Amino acid sequence: MTHSHTQADLPRCRAMLGQPNDYLDGDLAAELCQALETHMAGCHDCQIVFDTLGQTVRLYHSLDDAPAELPADIEARLLLRLQEKASSAARSEH
Ligand SMILES: [Zn+2]
């Protein structure tokens, strides 16, 4: 089954990816967690972003004196990539 990103998905992606640290730390509300997992099952972009985030977080947690949260610039870069995708998709609609 092929599922490509539609414009309707992108605001949801950004809303969900706004709290990756909470999700990865298990602090996110259970129903929100489930919505995120359901969304990711059909959204390749979010799978990649979360896979990357998860690996980064695991790496951080494996270090001594690891910060509890991702560095802001890593998170910002991942979100920026999604926003670039969103704006290029919006442009191609015109
Ligand atoms: Zn998504």
Side-chain angles (χ1 to χ4, degrees):
M1 156 179 145
T2 309
H3 181 98
S4 62
H5 236 137
T6 66
Q7 270 191 284
D9 281 328
L10 287 163
R12 290 190 68 192
C13 293
R14 277 186 284 175
M16 289 180 172
L17 292 172
Q19 42 230 324
N21 282 319
D22 286 348
Y23 174 78
L24 292 164
D25 288 345
D27 286 344
L28 212 57
E31 66 266 26
L32 201 52
C33 242
Q34 192 152 41
L36 191 55
E37 275 162 16
T38 303
H39 173 82
M40 275 197 289
C43 179
H44 193 58
D45 285 339
C46 284
Q47 285 172 31
I48 291 172
V49 171
F50 267 81
D51 197 49
T52 306
L53 267 172
Q55 284 172 22
T56 308
V57 167
R58 274 194 294 277
L59 186 69
Y60 262 80
H61 286 182
S62 72
L63 301 171
D64 290 332
D65 301 321
E69 303 215 330
L70 279 180
D73 66 315
I74 291 179
E75 201 174 311
R77 260 182 293 172
L78 287 166
L79 291 172
L80 190 66
R81 268 193 59 94
L82 264 176
Q83 278 159 11
E84 281 167 359
K85 274 186 80 76
S87 59
S88 66
R91 269 197 303 275
S92 68
E93 284 290 307
H94 290 296

